[in-house]
Amino acid sequence: MKSRDSEPSGARGSSLLSRITLYSPAEVAKALRCSEWWVKEQARKRRIPFTWLGGSYQFTEEHVVEIIRVFEKTPASMTPAPSAARRVPQQRKALPAGSALLVARVPRRAQRAGEPGS
């Protein structure tokens, strides 16, 4: 019985390989305008997608698109930043019985600056 596909299996594989382009870390770095070291470091830490072939990192076009998506930053909402908004002072919690509020000491430089004869 003949298979539906009349191409030999080797021909099918070669057409698939002709459509896949692999890029080196240097090529990806140039396209992303970053260093080759950064690309390799992100791959080593598994923060970006990659293919490991022949003992080196390789990247497809889909990998590069995903890298851009991973590091994409969206604009913050239009609400004012917390520092710009008026802050309401918080009340201090009551201290447990037998404990005291800690107060920072005056630094020695400040102590010496206030001494007479300095």
Side-chain angles (χ1 to χ4, degrees):
M1 181 183 241
K2 277 190 159 182
S3 66
R4 291 183 196 173
D5 195 5
S6 60
E7 290 181 20
S9 61
R12 227 179 325 172
S14 66
S15 66
L16 174 65
L17 290 178
S18 67
R19 289 182 271 149
I20 296 176
T21 304
L22 295 174
Y23 300 98
S24 69
E27 292 170 321
V28 172
K30 187 175 180 180
L32 297 177
R33 297 181 185 163
C34 62
S35 69
E36 181 179 355
W37 175 87
W38 184 87
V39 173
K40 288 180 178 180
E41 183 70 7
Q42 300 308 307
R44 184 182 71 79
K45 290 183 176 182
R46 305 288 197 261
R47 293 180 182 159
I48 61 174
F50 65 92
T51 300
W52 183 258
L53 289 174
S56 63
Y57 299 110
Q58 298 292 315
F59 302 89
T60 63
E61 289 180 29
E62 291 81 17
H63 289 151
V64 176
V65 170
E66 185 61 26
I67 291 168
I68 294 169
R69 276 195 203 114
V70 167
F71 289 97
E72 179 180 27
K73 300 291 182 201
T74 56
S77 64
M78 299 307 276
T79 58
S83 60
R86 185 170 182 226
R87 293 186 180 189
V88 177
Q90 296 178 352
Q91 291 182 345
R92 292 189 179 174
K93 295 179 182 177
L95 296 175
S99 63
L101 182 65
L102 297 177
V103 179
R105 68 174 181 80
V106 178
R108 290 184 181 166
R109 280 182 292 194
Q111 290 175 354
R112 284 189 223 130
E115 293 177 2
S118 44

